[in-house]
Amino acid sequence: MPTQENLIPLSGWRRKLYIIIYEADTRAGRIFDMALIIAILLSVACVMLESVSSIRQQYGTLLTVLDWTFTILFTIEYALRLICVHKPLRYVKSFFGIIDLLSILPLYLGLFIPESRFLADIRILRLLRMFRILKLSRHLGEAAQLRRALLASRRKITVFLVTVILLVIVLGTLMYVIEGPEHGFTSIPISIYWAIVTLTTVGFGDITPKTPLGQALASLVMITGYGIIAVPTGIVSAEIARSAPDPASSDNRSATRLCPHCFSEGHDWDAQYCKHCGGQLPRPAKGEVS
Amino acid sequence: MPTQENLIPLSGWRRKLYIIIYEADTRAGRIFDMALIIAILLSVACVMLESVSSIRQQYGTLLTVLDWTFTILFTIEYALRLICVHKPLRYVKSFFGIIDLLSILPLYLGLFIPESRFLADIRILRLLRMFRILKLSRHLGEAAQLRRALLASRRKITVFLVTVILLVIVLGTLMYVIEGPEHGFTSIPISIYWAIVTLTTVGFGDITPKTPLGQALASLVMITGYGIIAVPTGIVSAEIARSAPDPASSDNRSATRLCPHCFSEGHDWDAQYCKHCGGQLPRPAKGEVS
Amino acid sequence: MPTQENLIPLSGWRRKLYIIIYEADTRAGRIFDMALIIAILLSVACVMLESVSSIRQQYGTLLTVLDWTFTILFTIEYALRLICVHKPLRYVKSFFGIIDLLSILPLYLGLFIPESRFLADIRILRLLRMFRILKLSRHLGEAAQLRRALLASRRKITVFLVTVILLVIVLGTLMYVIEGPEHGFTSIPISIYWAIVTLTTVGFGDITPKTPLGQALASLVMITGYGIIAVPTGIVSAEIARSAPDPASSDNRSATRLCPHCFSEGHDWDAQYCKHCGGQLPRPAKGEVS
Amino acid sequence: MPTQENLIPLSGWRRKLYIIIYEADTRAGRIFDMALIIAILLSVACVMLESVSSIRQQYGTLLTVLDWTFTILFTIEYALRLICVHKPLRYVKSFFGIIDLLSILPLYLGLFIPESRFLADIRILRLLRMFRILKLSRHLGEAAQLRRALLASRRKITVFLVTVILLVIVLGTLMYVIEGPEHGFTSIPISIYWAIVTLTTVGFGDITPKTPLGQALASLVMITGYGIIAVPTGIVSAEIARSAPDPASSDNRSATRLCPHCFSEGHDWDAQYCKHCGGQLPRPAKGEVS
């Protein structure tokens, strides 16, 4: 649905920038992507180390400087990503646009709420682009197959989840009435939390039934949880067994191209227009291809 | 098996009331259903909040008033449901009739046994009607498919459950003899509870073996539990893979109609008589359909 | 392979006794079986209650008397079972012969080692006969199908188990060296026990890693355990999906007959000789059949 | 790719030694292998017992002597394995070559770092040869089938694992910010460790959320973990169901032969040359075959 003006091909430095940042088929693009992956990993490591109090006390200043350096770099990158596309708002609202924004916000937010700066770790999700960048198109194909299997079974899974949620509410309420606050079941929400811990077979053990009746009901919950895990497993197994590998996502070089108009992926190597919005796809000049 | 007199079609205000309360195809019916869903969710939230002691101390009176308001509303609704059907006893004994009754009883019971009023939460199960009300007939179809798969494998699952129950009794007894009351295995029922906690891989950790022999037996229990989870999963997987989607429950508007005589669901849009009991189905007047 | 003398049909009171005790097709046989089931359940309940110290203090004498009554009854039954078959030793060495003996031994043993009397609970396994007694031949068929699926995958499961055992030994040793006795990993066997607790996703939490390296290795163990549970599940799922229901175990009245010579089950209703050993099968007289 | 000189068949005492040590088809070979299995099991038991402090205090000297005896024996064996092959380096770099080296190193290393001597337990992995030695070729075939199924699904499993790793990093970070060090979530790495413990449904309970928001997020993590276990299980189930038993690994005597040049296994009984490197396979003389 882009209007005619969106379709005017980019040109000049913005076009070059676009190819470096968004595409992965030129040498400059690959170098940029690799540098980005390394920067993401290093910055995430920084944030993690900073959260360890003994390390923070010793290297606090260094880590803060590094944090800010990375965040400023990512901010510049974000600005460049905005500049070199026709419709920046579409990028902002796309999945990776939101992730990219969430990657730089925490540190600025951390000036007001100190704790929130650690959320910068969420930028690890930017690595999801990795599959595209590293030309792991076979993996992309398998991922797509898994996604389709899960998508095909989404209604069954919804039915299952709704059943589970109703079940834990009822079981949590029963346990609250049976055990009561004196045995750690201090409220219905806490008891529902316990029911989830137990039904999913996690079993922290921070809250445990003490009365014989409570233990009998808990036994029932556990056996139920142990048994009904068969349901989602059965659903997904059947769906994966049914789904054949997607021929469209077979090993080719298409997976690394991206439409600058609607940010859809998976365009064929020789496509000139986006198959989703009809916008013209930028093609790296012959010399640019390695 | 309804006698001739049951088949006399309802008429007058009772017929109108029936269509509003039991059917979901008219505007009034949809508004009623939506109001009901909201009332259920709000009242459940009320009960949950009341169970949190800090909230109860501050807003106790308000929450009690709200609890009683909702319960009185649901009591009136229950009475109306009884009035507008031919054979009220059939409704009372139907699955949702029991749930509806269980939704209003706890608060009245709470006058004598205070703790029991929290059981009002069980009214969350009334949301199971949601699938029918929200015309989620596709979900209903998938749910029916799951139910059929579980039903088809019920004998295998019974065999599995009986085996598991015998196993935990034997293992619990052995652990009681090996570990004894001094290590937390205070009685055979408690030891069986421990065996269930362990076999289902929940592992609370409130009771754990301390002697080498006990730990060796526990290891065996854990590996057994880890291995035999494959059995129910295998059963259900095979059954789901075998079962094709039910053609009868395909996407149509039938799932929202209900027989006033036998309370069976899933009548076709153009059906005039119940396919289960032969009773006449009430049809909303043309003007009533949105 | 029974010699000629084994094949001489039983006659007189021993034949009648045999039909009452071992067969379930006459009225007397059914009454005996039902009484036996009730006696087993009651005696197991007795032993369980006796293990609860508060109940033992109050009703100790009564429960001891009941225990002895049941054990003496079962001892008489065991003697009768021995008397009314041709080759008592075969019964003694059969699966249910061993269970029956283990059901009466603990109380006599309890005269010397008090704790061991609780092992009488193992007599719950006698209920496995229930499937045969209650003519649950359909369940027997499904159980046989499950058994065949597990049998067909026994080699794959052996390979899996051997891998798991080698894995937990190596992981337990590593954790012992990394964490050491000061963090609860007091010896290699204890560390192996921890590795089993963790790999099977039970997670008691009685022993947990404290060092960063230990926690990293533990994370690896957990993800491995979470992932490889797919292997036995996949094996059994594939096998169950492959196995068709056994036509030989379809719904008939055969499952309740038992050969008095070799104690094999599943003889056809009109069979006169055991299909396994060739021994003559006792047939209830016409009047005896209900 | 062995050069001509590698293909010169071994002869004399080195050839005899080779057949005894590497092959399992002669009587001497079988005796050697059996002695080896017993030595491995005994030495592992020694190391385990030594790690139990009460046993170490009493039998410390004896166990140390035994440890050294076994290690010296295994060192001699390792030297013999090196001597009787053409290209010792290939053996050193092969899978079992590394395991064999790791089996003797710890005790020597223990002279400098005492704790490391317990790593000698890793020699239990030498038992993996057992399948070959005990001529369990059917098990080998099933193991090969499992390996192929896992191999065929390795890309899907990689996609799944990457998703899980990204997920626990994000969830761990969120929990760290929500709960904070005062509730046990002392750093982001620790919080990620907690997320793994929870997502894999292990649930040690050494760290548990205390705030309502933390418990709500934990509930989400648990339900996610409970649900997505369906994914690897579904992948492996589908793959195992698809894969037919490997005809090449059917029951024959081939699995016990080993190429002295490239250490590949699975050569046919009547093969004269290695199918992988073309090197001549040593054949036991007629008299040597039992």
Side-chain angles (χ1 to χ4, degrees):
Chain A
M1 304 81 178
T3 58
Q4 206 46 28
E5 55 174 3
N6 308 342
L7 297 172
I8 295 165
L10 291 155
S11 61
W13 63 272
R14 282 174 72 201
R15 186 178 173 279
K16 275 186 184 150
L17 201 61
Y18 176 89
I19 288 168
I20 291 171
I21 293 181
Y22 285 96
E23 302 271 329
D25 293 315
T26 62
R27 218 167 76 92
R30 263 198 302 281
I31 289 169
F32 175 83
D33 286 336
M34 274 304 175
L36 195 61
I37 289 176
I38 292 163
I40 292 168
L41 288 176
L42 282 180
S43 73
V44 166
C46 264
V47 175
M48 281 192 189
L49 289 175
E50 209 190 332
S51 76
V52 182
S53 65
S54 63
I55 294 174
R56 188 170 54 235
Q57 274 158 17
Q58 214 170 347
Y59 305 101
T61 327
L62 173 67
L63 289 169
T64 307
V65 170
L66 281 172
D67 270 4
W68 276 104
T69 315
F70 281 119
T71 296
I72 288 164
L73 280 176
F74 290 139
T75 310
I76 293 168
E77 183 219 342
Y78 188 74
L80 291 179
R81 279 182 188 270
L82 285 179
I83 288 169
C84 71
V85 290
H86 268 275
K87 295 222 155 187
L89 210 67
R90 279 205 189 153
Y91 161 68
V92 170
K93 289 192 287 188
S94 72
F95 175 70
F96 280 118
I98 293 167
I99 298 282
D100 290 353
L101 188 60
L102 285 178
S103 302
I104 50 176
L105 276 190
L107 214 61
Y108 297 112
L109 219 84
L111 295 175
F112 309 99
I113 315 161
E115 280 305 297
S116 71
R117 74 181 186 283
F118 292 109
L119 291 175
D121 247 14
I122 292 171
R123 66 175 61 128
I124 195 80
L125 289 180
R126 297 191 67 184
L127 288 187
L128 282 175
R129 270 180 181 137
M130 187 181 71
F131 283 114
R132 189 170 61 83
I133 289 165
L134 300 179
K135 299 208 177 191
L136 299 167
S137 50
R138 285 202 142 210
H139 285 85
L140 278 176
E142 303 267 6
Q145 197 187 335
L146 279 182
R147 212 177 302 129
R148 260 176 301 129
L150 289 176
L151 222 63
S153 50
R154 72 183 177 286
R155 274 200 216 89
K156 280 203 196 72
I157 287 173
T158 307
V159 168
F160 175 73
L161 277 184
V162 168
T163 312
V164 164
I165 288 167
L166 294 182
L167 207 60
V168 293
I169 291 177
V170 171
L171 290 171
T173 303
L174 286 175
M175 285 305 280
Y176 173 71
V177 172
I178 292 173
E179 291 279 331
E182 63 272 23
H183 294 138
F185 293 76
T186 49
S187 68
I188 291 180
I190 285 282
S191 302
I192 291 172
Y193 162 73
W194 173 88
I196 294 172
V197 167
T198 305
L199 194 80
T200 57
T201 77
V202 171
F204 282 136
D206 49 351
I207 309 166
T208 51
K210 301 286 183 300
T211 64
L213 189 57
Q215 289 173 335
L217 185 60
S219 299
L220 207 73
V221 177
M222 287 182 270
I223 288 177
T224 307
Y226 185 66
I228 63 173
I229 201 171
V231 175
T233 307
I235 294 167
V236 175
S237 293
E239 212 54 66
I240 289 178
R242 201 172 293 161
S243 77
D246 187 10
S249 63
S250 58
D251 186 279
N252 56 37
R253 301 162 76 189
S254 69
T256 52
R257 299 190 77 199
L258 184 123
C259 170
H261 308 293
C262 68
F263 295 98
S264 61
E265 297 187 3
H267 302 287
D268 289 338
W269 180 243
D270 54 356
Q272 287 190 297
Y273 297 95
C274 172
K275 58 185 170 183
H276 297 295
C277 72
Q280 196 167 348
L281 296 173
R283 301 200 57 179
K286 285 227 154 136
E288 287 172 301
V289 184
S290 65
Chain B
M1 305 81 178
T3 59
Q4 204 47 25
E5 53 173 6
N6 307 343
L7 298 173
I8 295 164
L10 291 154
S11 61
W13 63 272
R14 282 174 71 201
R15 186 176 173 280
K16 275 187 183 148
L17 201 62
Y18 176 87
I19 289 169
I20 289 171
I21 293 181
Y22 285 96
E23 302 271 329
D25 293 315
T26 61
R27 218 167 77 91
R30 264 198 301 281
I31 289 169
F32 175 82
D33 286 337
M34 274 306 175
L36 195 61
I37 290 176
I38 291 164
I40 291 168
L41 289 176
L42 282 179
S43 73
V44 166
C46 264
V47 176
M48 281 193 190
L49 289 175
E50 209 190 331
S51 76
V52 183
S53 66
S54 63
I55 294 174
R56 189 172 51 237
Q57 275 158 15
Q58 215 170 347
Y59 304 101
T61 326
L62 173 66
L63 290 169
T64 307
V65 171
L66 281 172
D67 270 4
W68 277 104
T69 313
F70 281 120
T71 296
I72 288 164
L73 280 176
F74 289 139
T75 310
I76 293 169
E77 184 219 343
Y78 188 75
L80 291 179
R81 279 183 188 268
L82 285 180
I83 288 169
C84 71
V85 289
H86 269 275
K87 294 224 155 184
L89 211 67
R90 279 203 190 156
Y91 162 67
V92 170
K93 289 192 286 187
S94 72
F95 176 70
F96 280 119
I98 293 167
I99 299 282
D100 290 353
L101 188 61
L102 284 178
S103 300
I104 50 175
L105 276 190
L107 215 60
Y108 297 112
L109 221 83
L111 294 174
F112 309 100
I113 315 160
E115 280 306 298
S116 70
R117 74 182 186 282
F118 292 110
L119 291 175
D121 249 13
I122 291 170
R123 67 175 62 129
I124 195 80
L125 289 179
R126 297 191 66 184
L127 289 187
L128 282 175
R129 270 180 183 136
M130 188 181 70
F131 283 114
R132 189 170 62 84
I133 289 165
L134 299 179
K135 300 207 176 193
L136 300 167
S137 50
R138 285 201 143 210
H139 285 85
L140 278 177
E142 303 267 7
Q145 198 187 334
L146 279 182
R147 211 176 303 130
R148 261 176 300 130
L150 289 176
L151 222 64
S153 49
R154 71 183 178 286
R155 275 199 215 89
K156 280 203 197 72
I157 287 173
T158 306
V159 168
F160 175 72
L161 277 183
V162 169
T163 313
V164 164
I165 289 168
L166 295 181
L167 207 61
V168 294
I169 291 177
V170 171
L171 290 170
T173 304
L174 286 175
M175 285 306 280
Y176 173 71
V177 172
I178 292 172
E179 290 280 329
E182 63 273 24
H183 293 138
F185 293 77
T186 49
S187 68
I188 291 181
I190 284 280
S191 302
I192 291 171
Y193 162 74
W194 174 87
I196 294 172
V197 167
T198 306
L199 194 80
T200 57
T201 77
V202 170
F204 281 134
D206 49 350
I207 309 166
T208 52
K210 301 287 184 298
T211 64
L213 189 56
Q215 288 172 336
L217 185 60
S219 299
L220 207 73
V221 177
M222 288 182 270
I223 289 177
T224 306
Y226 186 66
I228 62 174
I229 200 170
V231 176
T233 306
I235 293 168
V236 175
S237 293
E239 213 55 65
I240 290 179
R242 201 172 294 163
S243 77
D246 188 9
S249 62
S250 58
D251 186 279
N252 56 38
R253 300 162 77 190
S254 69
T256 53
R257 300 190 77 201
L258 184 124
C259 170
H261 308 293
C262 69
F263 295 97
S264 63
E265 297 187 3
H267 302 287
D268 289 338
W269 180 243
D270 54 357
Q272 288 189 295
Y273 297 95
C274 172
K275 58 186 170 183
H276 297 296
C277 73
Q280 195 167 349
L281 296 173
R283 302 199 58 178
K286 284 228 153 133
E288 287 172 301
V289 185
S290 65
Chain C
M1 304 84 175
T3 59
Q4 204 49 23
E5 54 173 4
N6 307 343
L7 297 173
I8 296 164
L10 291 155
S11 62
W13 62 272
R14 283 176 70 201
R15 185 175 175 279
K16 275 186 184 150
L17 200 62
Y18 176 88
I19 289 170
I20 291 171
I21 292 181
Y22 285 96
E23 302 271 328
D25 293 315
T26 61
R27 218 168 77 91
R30 263 197 303 282
I31 288 168
F32 175 83
D33 285 337
M34 275 305 174
L36 195 61
I37 290 176
I38 292 164
I40 291 169
L41 289 176
L42 282 179
S43 74
V44 166
C46 264
V47 176
M48 282 193 189
L49 288 175
E50 209 189 332
S51 76
V52 182
S53 66
S54 63
I55 294 174
R56 188 171 52 234
Q57 275 158 16
Q58 214 169 347
Y59 305 101
T61 327
L62 173 67
L63 290 168
T64 307
V65 169
L66 281 172
D67 270 4
W68 276 104
T69 313
F70 281 120
T71 297
I72 287 164
L73 280 177
F74 289 140
T75 310
I76 293 168
E77 183 219 342
Y78 188 75
L80 291 179
R81 279 182 188 269
L82 284 180
I83 288 168
C84 71
V85 290
H86 269 275
K87 295 224 155 185
L89 211 66
R90 279 203 189 154
Y91 161 69
V92 170
K93 288 193 288 187
S94 72
F95 176 70
F96 280 119
I98 294 167
I99 299 283
D100 290 351
L101 188 60
L102 284 178
S103 300
I104 49 175
L105 277 190
L107 214 60
Y108 297 113
L109 219 84
L111 294 174
F112 310 100
I113 315 160
E115 279 306 297
S116 70
R117 75 181 186 283
F118 293 110
L119 290 174
D121 248 12
I122 291 170
R123 66 174 63 128
I124 195 80
L125 289 179
R126 297 190 67 184
L127 289 188
L128 282 174
R129 269 178 182 141
M130 189 181 69
F131 283 114
R132 188 170 62 83
I133 289 165
L134 300 179
K135 300 209 176 190
L136 299 167
S137 50
R138 286 202 141 211
H139 285 85
L140 278 176
E142 304 267 7
Q145 197 187 335
L146 279 183
R147 212 176 304 129
R148 261 176 301 130
L150 289 176
L151 222 63
S153 50
R154 71 183 178 287
R155 274 201 215 88
K156 281 203 196 72
I157 287 174
T158 307
V159 168
F160 175 73
L161 277 183
V162 168
T163 313
V164 163
I165 288 167
L166 294 181
L167 207 61
V168 293
I169 292 176
V170 170
L171 290 170
T173 304
L174 286 175
M175 284 306 281
Y176 173 72
V177 172
I178 292 172
E179 290 279 330
E182 63 273 24
H183 294 138
F185 293 77
T186 48
S187 68
I188 290 180
I190 285 281
S191 302
I192 290 172
Y193 162 74
W194 174 88
I196 293 172
V197 168
T198 306
L199 195 81
T200 57
T201 77
V202 171
F204 281 134
D206 50 350
I207 310 166
T208 51
K210 302 285 183 300
T211 64
L213 189 57
Q215 289 172 336
L217 185 60
S219 299
L220 207 74
V221 177
M222 287 181 269
I223 289 177
T224 307
Y226 185 66
I228 63 174
I229 200 171
V231 175
T233 306
I235 293 167
V236 175
S237 293
E239 213 53 67
I240 289 179
R242 200 172 294 161
S243 77
D246 187 9
S249 63
S250 58
D251 185 280
N252 55 38
R253 301 163 76 190
S254 69
T256 53
R257 300 190 78 199
L258 184 124
C259 170
H261 308 293
C262 68
F263 295 98
S264 61
E265 296 187 4
H267 301 287
D268 290 337
W269 180 244
D270 55 355
Q272 288 191 296
Y273 296 95
C274 171
K275 57 186 170 183
H276 297 295
C277 73
Q280 194 166 348
L281 295 174
R283 302 198 58 179
K286 284 227 154 137
E288 288 172 300
V289 184
S290 63
Chain D
M1 305 83 175
T3 59
Q4 206 45 26
E5 56 175 3
N6 307 342
L7 297 173
I8 295 164
L10 292 153
S11 61
W13 62 272
R14 281 176 71 202
R15 185 176 173 280
K16 274 187 183 149
L17 201 61
Y18 175 89
I19 288 168
I20 290 171
I21 292 182
Y22 285 96
E23 302 270 329
D25 293 315
T26 62
R27 219 168 77 92
R30 263 198 301 283
I31 288 168
F32 175 83
D33 286 336
M34 274 305 174
L36 195 60
I37 290 176
I38 291 163
I40 291 169
L41 288 175
L42 282 179
S43 74
V44 166
C46 264
V47 176
M48 282 194 189
L49 289 175
E50 209 190 333
S51 76
V52 183
S53 65
S54 63
I55 294 174
R56 188 170 53 237
Q57 275 159 16
Q58 214 169 347
Y59 305 101
T61 327
L62 172 66
L63 290 169
T64 307
V65 170
L66 281 173
D67 270 3
W68 277 104
T69 314
F70 281 120
T71 296
I72 287 164
L73 279 176
F74 289 140
T75 310
I76 293 168
E77 183 219 344
Y78 188 76
L80 291 178
R81 279 183 188 270
L82 284 180
I83 288 168
C84 70
V85 290
H86 269 276
K87 296 222 155 186
L89 211 66
R90 279 204 190 152
Y91 162 68
V92 170
K93 289 194 287 187
S94 72
F95 175 70
F96 281 118
I98 293 167
I99 298 283
D100 290 352
L101 188 61
L102 284 178
S103 301
I104 50 175
L105 277 190
L107 215 60
Y108 297 113
L109 220 83
L111 294 174
F112 310 99
I113 314 161
E115 280 307 296
S116 70
R117 75 181 185 284
F118 292 110
L119 291 175
D121 248 13
I122 291 171
R123 66 174 62 127
I124 195 80
L125 289 180
R126 298 191 67 184
L127 288 187
L128 282 175
R129 270 180 182 138
M130 188 181 69
F131 283 115
R132 189 170 63 83
I133 289 165
L134 299 179
K135 301 209 177 191
L136 299 168
S137 50
R138 286 201 142 210
H139 285 85
L140 278 176
E142 304 267 7
Q145 197 188 335
L146 279 182
R147 211 177 302 129
R148 261 176 301 129
L150 289 176
L151 222 63
S153 50
R154 71 183 179 287
R155 275 200 216 90
K156 280 203 197 72
I157 287 173
T158 307
V159 168
F160 175 73
L161 277 184
V162 168
T163 313
V164 164
I165 289 166
L166 295 181
L167 207 61
V168 293
I169 292 176
V170 171
L171 289 170
T173 304
L174 286 176
M175 285 305 280
Y176 173 71
V177 172
I178 291 173
E179 291 279 330
E182 63 272 24
H183 293 139
F185 293 77
T186 48
S187 68
I188 292 181
I190 285 281
S191 302
I192 291 171
Y193 163 73
W194 173 87
I196 294 171
V197 167
T198 306
L199 194 80
T200 57
T201 77
V202 170
F204 282 135
D206 49 350
I207 310 166
T208 51
K210 300 286 183 300
T211 64
L213 189 57
Q215 288 172 336
L217 185 60
S219 299
L220 207 74
V221 177
M222 287 181 270
I223 289 177
T224 307
Y226 185 66
I228 63 174
I229 200 171
V231 175
T233 306
I235 293 167
V236 175
S237 293
E239 213 54 65
I240 289 179
R242 201 173 294 161
S243 76
D246 187 9
S249 62
S250 58
D251 187 279
N252 56 36
R253 301 163 76 191
S254 69
T256 54
R257 300 190 78 199
L258 184 124
C259 169
H261 309 293
C262 69
F263 295 98
S264 61
E265 297 187 2
H267 301 287
D268 289 337
W269 180 244
D270 54 357
Q272 288 189 296
Y273 297 95
C274 172
K275 58 186 170 183
H276 297 294
C277 73
Q280 195 167 348
L281 295 173
R283 301 200 58 178
K286 285 231 154 132
E288 287 173 301
V289 184
S290 64

